[in-house]
Amino acid sequence: MSKVTLLDHPLIQHKLTMLRDKNTSSKDFRELVSEIAMLMAYEVTRSFPLEDVPVETPLTKTTGKMLSGKDVAIVPVLRAGLGMVDGMLNLIPTAKVGHIGIYRNEETLEPVEYYCKLPSDIQNRIVIITEPMLSTGGSMLGAISLLKKYGARNIKSMNLVCTPEGIERVTKAHPDVEIYTPAIDEGFDETGYIYPGLGDAGDRLFGTK
């Protein structure tokens, strides 16, 4: 069954409010997205399995805990998902990074794939999709379907802002995918933009508007 985790940590909520502000510059927007992604990564990785390992401290031998099991792949949905990658790599520097290029058809609001490059062992990794906006759910559905086509089975989604409709659509189609977000907004308008939202994340990240 799908699980939606609402991340209400004060630091995340504080930085998200700064992201929403229309007066936040592209430089500050990029830094905030990276910082929020790193904070979110703490929660996304909370369920990662551990194993006991022997370790010798300067004083004695003891047993500690280390990560066990599958490695991680971070897969941003181009282009806005790129803004979340560096923050996650600060926390998980050994993760491999794939890329999925999907754009939304402005008439149908459905996803159109134009690029996909994934680690060759994607089927053996815990996959974390980064996509700032989960609006209609179309792009996320396309990304998840593509990942599963290449064998990924353990998939988590990190989204800065979601709509109830987008969450419902994704969880209905892929009940095995976990969604992590600090905000579930009111909905989306006729063009697919989330409201109140934070505008076009890609344009604000890269200063293209």
Side-chain angles (χ1 to χ4, degrees):
M1 175 174 263
S2 180
K3 179 182 178 183
V4 179
T5 301
L6 189 63
L7 306 177
D8 59 357
H9 192 286
L11 286 177
I12 295 177
Q13 293 297 321
H14 173 82
K15 293 175 184 294
L16 179 62
T17 298
M18 296 172 69
L19 271 189
R20 292 187 189 274
D21 189 339
K22 68 178 184 179
N23 296 312
T24 297
S25 68
S26 289
K27 173 183 177 296
D28 291 339
F29 194 93
R30 284 193 297 271
E31 291 174 355
L32 286 165
V33 168
S34 184
E35 290 167 2
I36 293 172
M38 184 171 66
L39 291 169
M40 290 178 67
Y42 280 101
E43 295 300 328
V44 176
T45 58
R46 183 179 292 276
S47 62
F48 280 17
L50 294 170
E51 62 181 353
D52 292 335
V53 295
V55 61
E56 188 169 354
T57 77
L59 300 179
T60 186
K61 293 181 179 179
T62 186
T63 301
K65 302 283 187 182
M66 293 193 74
L67 291 171
S68 67
K70 297 182 179 179
D71 293 324
V72 176
I74 302 168
V75 182
V77 177
L78 304 177
R79 61 186 168 138
L82 289 171
M84 302 173 71
V85 174
D86 285 348
M88 294 196 65
L89 286 175
N90 285 336
L91 195 68
I92 318 169
T94 59
K96 289 186 177 180
V97 181
H99 297 86
I100 291 178
I102 293 177
Y103 70 87
R104 184 174 59 193
N105 184 302
E106 295 302 327
E107 294 182 1
T108 66
L109 301 185
E110 291 303 307
V112 180
E113 174 199 339
Y114 67 89
Y115 184 79
C116 181
K117 183 70 172 179
L118 302 172
S120 59
D121 59 350
I122 193 71
Q123 69 277 3
N124 298 322
R125 292 179 174 269
I126 298 172
V127 180
I128 304 173
I129 303 174
T130 61
E131 168 70 298
M133 317 297 285
L134 175 52
S135 177
T136 66
S139 295
M140 185 57 64
L141 286 177
I144 294 171
S145 295
L146 199 55
L147 283 166
K148 288 186 174 181
K149 175 184 173 182
Y150 284 93
R153 290 294 176 265
N154 191 341
I155 302 172
K156 303 173 187 290
S157 176
M158 273 180 50
N159 311 99
L160 300 181
V161 181
C162 299
T163 67
E165 297 91 341
I167 288 175
E168 181 179 7
R169 191 176 176 195
V170 170
T171 55
K172 184 176 181 179
H174 299 283
D176 57 315
V177 174
E178 298 179 51
I179 296 174
Y180 293 81
T181 183
I184 302 176
D185 279 11
E186 296 175 30
F188 55 84
D189 62 19
E190 64 278 358
T191 61
Y193 282 100
I194 298 175
Y195 63 85
L198 46 81
D200 187 304
D203 284 337
R204 297 193 68 189
L205 275 166
F206 302 113
T208 49
K209 195 171 183 178

